[in-house]
Each structure stands twice: as C-alpha cells, then as structure tokens.
Amino acid sequence: MIAAFVVPLVGQVSARLARGVTVVTPAVALVCAVGALRVALDSGPWHYHLGGWAPPWGIEYVVDPLGGGMAVLVALLATLVAIYAGPYLRAVSPRRAAVFNSLFLLLTSGLLGITLTGDLFNLYVFLEISSLAAYGLLASGGGRAVVATFRYLLIGTIAATFYLLGIGYLYALTGTVNMADLAMRLPAAGSGSAMTVGVVLIVVGLAIKMAVFPLHGWMPDAYTYAPPPVIMFIAAVMSKVSAYALLRVLFFVLPPTGAVETALSVLSWVAAGGVLAGSVLALAQTDVRRMLAYSSVGQMGYVVLGLSLGNAAALTGALLHITGHAVAKACLFGAVGSLPRETAQADVAGFAGASRRAPLTMAAFTLAALSLVGIPPTAGFFSKWYLLQGALEADAWPFAAVLLVSSLLSAVYFFRIIERIYFAAGPAPAESDRSRRRPEVSLRLLGPVLTLGAVVLLIGLFNGRLVTAVIRHALPEL
Amino acid sequence: MSLIAWGQLQYVLAATLLLVGLYGMLVRANFVRKLMAMNVMQVGVIVFFVSLAMRAGGTPPIEIEHQAAGTDVAYANPLPHALMLTAIVVSVSTTGVALALLIRIHRRFDTLDEAELLDRLAE
C-alpha cells in the first residue's frame, strides 16, 4: 500500500514520450494522494522509510493531513493542466512536446516530493528538482522568456543556497536534518546566534521562492512570457508549495520561541506591505497576465500574513487561501491562455465584449476573479473571513485594515476587466464562426478551466466541511 | 586573543566565498560572470558543510581501516559529505541549464550583457 504511493513519484520521472502517460500519471498520483490523505486522517501520519534506512539516518517520507492535503491539491491541478496542455502541444513540434511532457512530470514529482518529505535536506533537493524543471518549462516561451528565466534561475539559486546554508546551521546545532528529529532536539539546543542565523536564512530563502514582496522581482517577467499551460501550473502551484514548506519549517520543526517569534512578526509586516504593494501594482498593469502575476504577489501576502499571525483561525485562513487561490489562479491563467488565439492580445482592452465570443470561459474567469476579490459564495470569501477573524483575535487591527483595503483594490482591478468582458462592445464574431457554430474554444481547453471554476465555487460552498475534515487536523498544536 | 582561532579559518573562507559570489551576482553586468559568481557562492556553502564534518585528528570514515586500527577512532562525520555530494550534483545541473539558456539568449540577441539585453528587449 505504501509502495503504491511512492511508485508514481518515481514512475513519473521515467515517464517520457507518451502523451497519455502525462495525463494518466498525475491522475494516478491524485487517486493515490487522496487515498493516502484518507489513511492519514483516519489513522494518523503515515511514515515511509526510503531504502529501508530508519530515520534519522535514512530519508523519511511522511503523509500527514497537511502534507497529504497539499499533495492532493498539486496532483489535482497537475491532472487538469495536463489535459489543458493538449491543444498547445499539438501546435508545437513533437520533440518539444516530448520535452514538455517529461519536464512537466519532473516538476510535478518534485512538488509532490516537497509536500511529502520528512527531511529538510531532501526538501532542498526536491525544491531544486522542481525549480530546474520550471526553468526549462518557462524558457520554452522563447526570446524574452529565456532572458526572464535566466534571471529567475539566478535568483532562485540564491534562494536555494540561502536555504541550504540555513539547514547547515541547524545541522551544526543538532546533528540531524530529519524534521521530526530536529523538532525534538532544537528546543534543547537553545536560541543562540547560530539558531537565529539559520532561521533567517531559511525564511529568506523560502520567501524568495514564494515571491513574497519585496522579494518578488523575478516573478512578473517570468510569468508573462511563458506558454499558457506552463504558467497555469507554475503560477498556481509553485509558490503555494514553497508556502507549505515555510509553514512546515516554522511550525512543525522550529521551536516557537526566540528567533522564530521575531521572524514571524517581521514576516507579518512584510506580508502586509506585500498585500498592498501587490494590489497597487496589479492595478497599474495593462497586460492581463502581468496583472494576474502582481495579484499573486498580493495574494501570497495574505497567505504569509495568515502564517505569521499564527493563531488557529489565521492558519486555517492561510491554508484555505492556499487551496482557493491555487485553484482560482490556475482558472484565471487558463482562461486568459485559451483566449489570445482569437483576440491575439492579452491586454485589458482586448477583453472587450469577450463574453459574446467565449461565454463559458469568461464565466469561469469571472467566478475565479470574484473568489480573489472575496465575494461570498466563492472560496476567497471564506479564507479572507478566517484571516480577518485571526487578525482580530490577535488584536492586530492594522492587518485587519490591510485585508479590507486590499480586497477593495482587487475588486477595482478585477471589475475593470469584468466590466469590459460583459458590457463593452467588442469586435463582432466573424461570419464563418457564426455559421458553423463551433464551440468557443477547444473542449480540452474549456473542460479544465470550467472544472477549476466549479471547484472554486465548491470549495466556497463546502468550506465548513473542508475545514473540519482536513484543515483542522493539519494545524500544528498551538 | 585573536579575533578568530586558526581552526576556524575554513569558516572564514566559506563566508568569504559566499559574499564574493553574492557580490558578483549583484554587480557584474555580464550573464556569464553572474553565473560564475553563482558557482563561487555555491562552493562557499559546500566548504561550510564539509568544515562541519571535520574533527581534530579525525580520519576518513572508512570502516575497514577502523577495524584494523581498533574501535574508538575519531573520524570525520560522513553525513555532510553525502549531503554535499548531492548539493554538488544539483549545482552542476543548475549550471548546465543556465548555460543552455545563455546559449539561446546569445543566439537570439547576440549579447550577454545585461544592460544591452534590456535595451533590446525594450525595443
């Protein structure tokens, strides 16, 4: 049973050419992840020792509600994106399609690895695996994308190096890199300067990977020029998985005193700044993809804010926001990515009257946008509600104000587009389109986008069950 | 007493390499130089980890030799070495990907200078 879960991880890497494999493997991983999550919820964390070496020497994989939940999220998005990528891949040469497939699976397995590993150094290796695959995928946009990717590579490597150095300090203090072992030994190791340096390095490293303001400089360029399926996946999942890693390290590994407390209070102000800066910058963009990228900076601010407030409500909000935002962002980028074939541009003006040309895609886009703004029946409302509750519980009034103001800002920049979509007069559909009555976009593009839109709504409607069934179990003991 | 003991000199070396690398990545205009600086920085971390494994009078952690010499022999900690072997692999592959990207940039834009590149992109 345990093997059934690890096999897809390994199998994905060797999966190469077949297009079918690319779709099936994440789907299998999804089923396995759901199964593993159920086991973890029913009977506690599930440990697997790679190569039969017991920790702390061997590498350990742990499925607990938190990691398992993230794995389900990653696998779900990977499956949908794999389907979505179909039409895009048919347009490029078979060789490049093969490269895409293998890189995509490598990225997915790297991300799944991050969510499941119980070892800090192993996490570093998976972080680099997924990053390397992401560099390759992003660069396939050609021209500008390659330059943006190279700069991302430099910054990403600095981040990873910081993180690795941080592990070095913790290792020097305790002599172990296993998470559970570290959590046991670190309180005894005290909170000297080595501990502080280690914590700071790890937090900064992961914050760069998450693109938290002000360390987000690499992101908008990298996101704007990449091919649509790539960006749909990377924008949705990569920063979330880094956020998961940060949560894991801060709340499950390090003792909640001294350096960590300081790190959290610094992070909370940084996050509040990020929420505002991201929203304002998003407002200033004319290219929709760039706008979405900056809105990600703001939304990651929410997640970090939730982490740094650190009480149960805020953490619930952060986790719910990770889920909701990942799904909504994938939906938004997917919708934008399926359009430009016809509108040929992705600036705000190009969306004029798009609802008449692609009503369903635009409906999904609107739904996801509403979720990010935080309109009641969608996922975003409830995660923001929990975050707000957490901020009030912590008596952090400024942060509560920040949450409200930035919701207004995001309402402004999203409604700007939604207004264009539905009310502005756009170019009339061509005669040939009307006479043939073919579907607005290829079904393979439409399907995943609509599914994601529906999931946004479902997470919103059933958020209570999601919180009690999974997220509550995933919270650290406070 | 001097500021740092002689035995800690390798940590100073590690820190120096790190800072030199970071400085190079920030300041150099040429992408190849940035990449080289990145490698220097990674070597800094590797030196740091390997220094952690050191013990005064330690021998290489090879079991056969220890069996010959008796049981309580001080030996260097092998775990950081194993970790760094992995880190070196990661660093090599990162460099490989980066060089591939550079080749593509050079083919397309005929330059690897950051300022020039930004000019061309702005056109």
Side-chain angles (χ1 to χ4, degrees), chain A residues 20-248:
Chain A
V21 181
T22 318
V23 179
V24 170
T25 358
V28 172
L30 175 62
V31 173
C32 293
V34 171
L37 179 62
R38 289 189 68 100
V39 174
L41 284 173
D42 290 342
S43 54
W46 190 6
H47 299 263
Y48 174 75
H49 302 151
L50 195 70
W53 289 70
W57 296 282
I59 295 167
E60 182 188 30
Y61 290 92
V62 184
V63 187
D64 59 4
L66 177 60
M70 281 303 290
V72 170
L73 181 66
V74 171
L76 171 72
L77 287 169
T79 314
L80 289 173
V81 172
I83 299 171
Y84 179 89
Y88 161 76
L89 288 180
R90 227 170 302 146
V92 300
S93 69
R95 224 182 100 226
R96 286 189 60 185
V99 171
F100 173 89
N101 284 339
S102 57
L103 281 178
F104 177 74
L105 289 177
L106 199 58
L107 176 59
T108 311
S109 54
L111 293 173
L112 283 175
I114 294 176
T115 63
L116 298 178
T117 184
D119 183 292
L120 279 184
F121 186 78
N122 198 234
L123 197 149
Y124 162 77
V125 174
F126 276 126
L127 204 61
E128 282 304 84
I129 289 178
S130 56
S131 299
L132 281 173
Y135 303 147
L137 285 172
L138 288 171
S140 63
R144 286 158 180 267
V146 183
V147 180
T149 308
F150 184 76
R151 303 175 85 187
Y152 174 27
L153 184 145
L154 289 181
I155 295 167
T157 309
I158 294 181
T161 311
F162 275 16
Y163 175 75
L164 183 60
L165 199 61
I167 301 176
Y169 275 95
L170 296 187
Y171 177 78
L173 280 173
T174 59
T176 177
V177 287
N178 181 283
M179 288 180 190
D181 219 25
L182 267 173
M184 252 163 35
R185 292 194 199 187
L186 272 177
S191 50
S193 52
M195 172 92 173
T196 314
V197 175
V199 170
V200 168
L201 285 169
I202 290 182
V203 169
V204 171
L206 289 175
I208 297 176
K209 290 268 180 194
M210 279 167 73
V212 174
F213 172 86
L215 306 173
H216 66 278
W218 55 268
M219 194 180 73
D221 269 342
Y223 279 16
T224 309
Y225 304 119
V230 170
I231 206 52
M232 187 176 165
F233 191 55
I234 290 181
V237 182
M238 270 195 84
S239 53
K240 306 301 174 303
V241 170
S242 308
Y244 157 83
L246 190 63
L247 173 70
R248 170 72 74 189

Side-chain angles (χ1 to χ4, degrees), chain B residues 7 14 28 35 43-44 54 61 89 91 98 100 105 114 116 120 122:
Chain B
R28 291 290 165 199
L35 184 63
V43 169
M54 264 268 297
V89 173
S91 127
I105 295 177
E114 190 166 31
E116 268 182 57
R120 305 241 170 128

